[in-house]
Amino acid sequence: MATATDGSKRYRERPETVITDVGDGPPVIFAHGMLTDRTLFAEQLDALSSEYRAIAYDLRARTDLYNEPYDLDDLADDLAALREALDINSFVLVGISMGGFMALRFADRYPEYLKGLVLINSMAEPHTDAEREEYRQLAETVLEDGMQSNTVLQISVEKMFSDTTRSTKPAVVDSWVNRWKTYPAKSVYYAMQSWIDRSDFTPKLRTVTVPVLSIHGEGNNVLSPDRTTSMIDKLPHAHQTLLPSAGHSAPVEQPDAVTTALTTFLSETLSQQHTSDFSEW
């Protein structure tokens, strides 16, 4: 999408303002989804930092780059700019929800930089017409009433967390609700607009030749696990791990389970890499 300004400039010229960068080793980059930020992956970064260079970054909605339209290709270009700024040759990309939608576009646009792909609560197929209309209406409500709206907050909680998390981990839910209340309405609105009308990526899946792991919460109230079937079946090297009690925000709902799935995938995927020589990375 052509925008009035170079949105990737922030990632290219001031990467330190949008990242958490810990550890030393093969690089793993984390891209968050709707209503979250790079802190969503705090526990995974901490766990991985002993063996990997773990980097989480804020997408446009959590920066000052939210006040004009953009799409998933723009977000993929942002990541490409960040990779260049950090002087990373190749890496494993972890994307959740919207970050996963972007990750597939990154794999299509910049395949030479990927060693592996992890998609958390994401899918290749588009939303249905009914879902698109629902999200358009929600986006307009956000723009009109703001993220302080009780209606918006209630819908968001129901979509972002499983029934189990809402009943057993209220402090986790409340911490994110309080954060949502601080978000500018435009940041949420334009983030939603970036993916509501995205095209079906399914026909391109066979071009994604790196190993792929899908991590999906069985308690996901937004995207049920069966929505990933068409994606897993068509990716050449993919498998899926289901998390019984997790919803759409799995990294904070079931952090240990997500970390275990990630570390297993990374170990298996990178086992034949010479991890003592990062020049190839």
Side-chain angles (χ1 to χ4, degrees), residues 244-255:
S245 300
H248 203 61
S249 302
V252 292
E253 295 180 89
Q254 296 292 326

Side-chain angles (χ1 to χ4, degrees), residues 237-266:
H237 308 289
H239 67 280
Q240 181 159 254
T241 296
L242 296 177
L243 307 182
S245 300
H248 203 61
S249 302
V252 292
E253 295 180 89
Q254 296 292 326
D256 292 343
V258 171
T259 297
T260 297
L262 279 173
T263 54
T264 300
F265 174 77
L266 290 170

Side-chain angles (χ1 to χ4, degrees), residues 1 34 60-62 64-72 74-75 98 139-140 142-143 184-196:
M1 172 182 288
M34 279 297 307
R60 291 191 187 195
R62 299 284 80 79
D64 54 4
L65 302 174
Y66 57 77
N67 56 357
E68 61 185 22
Y70 56 88
D71 63 16
L72 295 170
D74 291 322
L75 297 181
M98 178 182 72
E140 292 297 332
V142 169
L143 198 58
K186 282 187 176 180
S187 74
V188 178
Y189 176 81
Y190 283 123
M192 294 182 71
Q193 296 298 327
S194 74
W195 51 261
I196 288 176

Side-chain angles (χ1 to χ4, degrees), residues 20-30 41-56 259 262-263 266 275 278:
T20 299
D21 187 350
V22 296
D24 186 26
V28 183
I29 298 181
F30 293 78
F41 301 109
E43 295 200 44
Q44 286 75 45
L45 264 64
D46 182 60
L48 293 179
S49 61
S50 61
E51 295 185 48
Y52 303 95
R53 182 182 179 186
I55 302 165
T259 297
L262 279 173
T263 54
L266 290 170
T275 56
F278 304 144

Side-chain angles (χ1 to χ4, degrees), residues 159-221:
K159 289 184 177 297
M160 294 296 288
F161 299 101
S162 70
D163 298 344
T164 300
T165 299
R166 297 203 305 274
S167 64
T168 63
K169 298 183 177 181
V172 171
V173 176
D174 290 345
S175 68
W176 283 100
V177 170
N178 290 333
R179 195 172 297 198
W180 297 340
K181 292 177 181 178
T182 71
Y183 291 171
K186 282 187 176 180
S187 74
V188 178
Y189 176 81
Y190 283 123
M192 294 182 71
Q193 296 298 327
S194 74
W195 51 261
I196 288 176
D197 291 313
R198 72 189 183 285
S199 60
D200 186 1
F201 194 82
T202 307
K204 294 184 177 182
L205 287 172
R206 293 203 178 278
T207 67
V208 181
T209 57
V210 296
V212 178
L213 169 65
S214 170
I215 302 175
H216 214 91
E218 291 187 326
N220 192 324
N221 296 318

